[in-house]
Amino acid sequence: MAPKRCSKWPDPSQEEGLAQEEEEEDFALTQRSSQVQRNLQRLSGAQVDQKVSELVQFLLVKDQKKIPIKRADILKNIIKDYKDVYPEIINRAGRTLQQVFGLRLVEIDTKHHVYILVSDLVRLEGENLKQDHLTARLGLLTVILSFIYMRGNSAKESDVWDMLKRLGVEPRKPHKLFGDVKKLVTVEFVQQKYLEYNRLPSTDPAEFELQWGPRAAKETSRMQILQFVAKIQSKDPKTWSTQYSEAAAEVLSCSSSPPGDVGGDSQGPRRRKPSVSSSSPHGAL
């Protein structure tokens, strides 16, 4: 029997096969949007939502160690048989990451398709939220503050939960990063004075509303929050004329405050009737 040949060089035919597979995979993952939409029609909304949620969780877990994320790992561990709708899943996951966590999914190596998450948040400098490992909670808080401000400086608790559900965060289900979401929002953020949680009068069964707390009013501004919303929406902050006027007035007030007054009013934004104009912010988040 002839001795087995061992070579340190790869078989050229194998290399060609792998290259062809990569080309075919690239083609499958970069289909025209019209084809992706046709592929989506064979799937239920729940199936796609589940994949988006799984991908968001996967990216967040991977990002904890700050190790770049390979598309090959995404396909192997999450996408699997859903490659023909990959562009939709990755795009929706990217939007959720930005809207909920203030993180942008950035491709740093277009040849090998390697991604990282980059923080894109309004930085609140409170001692309880400035540590890097609490970035996700900071993202959640920023989204809630934005929603409250854009809804007229107060929002029903049920509306906040509906908004978070649309972003893949269930208030009554344990979350990998947030734990008990309802407790975090209505107890911890309230104790830290980032939010106020009050019962609405004459409601039976009881209904509650959320407003900015005094710490939030000290550590960020309405203009910063409006700019955060505008960045997510890729719009000019002046699109929301009522909110912009209010935020600009706050900036002017702070700039004209006496030297000893470092924070202006200690309370959060006053309740404002939600806008009903063409620039209504109801869909801002």
Side-chain angles (χ1 to χ4, degrees):
M1 180 182 293
K4 185 183 293 185
R5 290 178 56 193
C6 295
S7 173
K8 64 180 180 179
W9 302 108
D11 185 339
S13 62
Q14 290 181 340
E15 284 191 329
E16 290 176 3
L18 289 173
Q20 184 176 355
E21 286 179 10
E22 288 179 357
E23 288 178 3
E24 291 173 353
E25 185 175 85
D26 281 342
F27 175 77
L29 299 174
T30 56
Q31 302 175 78
R32 293 178 180 274
S33 59
S34 58
Q35 180 61 52
V36 172
Q37 293 303 313
R38 285 194 293 272
N39 295 337
L40 283 169
Q41 292 176 2
R42 68 177 177 81
L43 301 170
S44 69
Q47 287 177 304
V48 179
D49 289 344
Q50 179 63 30
K51 280 297 170 184
V52 172
S53 179
E54 289 176 3
L55 179 54
V56 169
Q57 300 294 339
F58 177 80
L59 294 171
L60 288 171
V61 171
K62 286 288 187 181
D63 184 61
Q64 294 302 304
K65 296 182 179 180
K66 300 301 178 188
I67 298 175
I69 306 154
K70 298 178 181 179
R71 187 179 72 178
D73 291 335
I74 295 175
L75 296 172
K76 177 182 177 181
N77 294 286
I78 303 299
I79 302 300
K80 299 179 181 178
D81 296 332
Y82 289 71
K83 290 181 181 179
D84 58 350
V85 292
Y86 172 79
E88 177 71 12
I89 293 171
I90 193 75
N91 286 338
R92 286 179 54 180
R95 288 197 297 271
T96 298
L97 285 164
Q98 186 173 44
Q99 293 176 353
V100 179
F101 305 99
L103 297 170
R104 283 184 294 119
L105 183 63
V106 178
E107 188 173 25
I108 58 172
D109 185 338
T110 55
K111 180 179 180 180
H112 298 99
H113 305 290
V114 178
Y115 301 88
I116 60 171
L117 296 181
V118 178
S119 179
D120 195 26
L121 289 171
V122 177
R123 176 58 62 181
L124 303 181
E125 296 297 342
E127 61 181 359
N128 292 308
L129 291 176
K130 67 183 180 182
Q131 295 89 346
D132 289 341
H133 70 281
L134 291 178
T135 296
R137 287 190 175 194
L138 173 62
L140 182 69
L141 174 60
T142 304
V143 167
I144 294 171
L145 291 174
S146 302
F147 184 76
I148 292 170
Y149 179 54
M150 302 303 283
R151 290 297 290 260
N153 292 320
S154 67
K156 286 185 178 181
E157 179 186 11
S158 58
D159 291 338
V160 173
W161 298 148
D162 288 342
M163 179 270 294
L164 292 179
K165 286 178 184 177
R166 291 197 301 272
L167 299 178
V169 179
E170 292 282 348
R172 290 177 176 81
K173 292 182 180 179
H175 194 277
K176 288 184 178 179
L177 291 176
F178 304 137
D180 186 334
V181 178
K182 183 176 174 64
K183 180 181 177 182
L184 174 62
V185 174
T186 63
V187 178
E188 293 185 37
F189 286 162
V190 173
Q191 290 176 342
Q192 295 166 354
K193 302 300 183 182
Y194 286 106
L195 296 173
E196 291 183 353
Y197 182 62
N198 300 308
R199 179 175 177 172
L200 291 168
S202 304
T203 55
D204 186 17
E207 294 182 30
F208 293 82
E209 70 174 1
L210 289 160
Q211 294 177 280
W212 281 29
R215 183 187 287 268
K218 288 287 189 180
E219 294 180 4
T220 190
S221 68
R222 282 172 273 196
M223 185 61 78
Q224 283 181 302
I225 290 296
L226 182 57
Q227 289 171 341
F228 172 74
V229 173
K231 194 166 188 177
I232 290 174
Q233 295 286 310
S234 299
K235 294 181 180 179
D236 189 314
K238 294 180 181 179
T239 301
W240 299 280
S241 56
T242 302
Q243 287 80 3
Y244 185 82
S245 297
E246 189 175 339
E250 180 187 64
V251 172
L252 183 61
S253 174
C254 290
S255 64
S256 61
S257 296
D261 184 359
V262 296
D265 294 340
S266 62
Q267 300 301 313
R270 294 183 178 87
R271 182 185 281 102
R272 167 176 29 84
K273 187 176 180 180
S275 170
V276 292
S277 66
S278 59
S279 59
S280 173
H282 291 178
L285 286 169

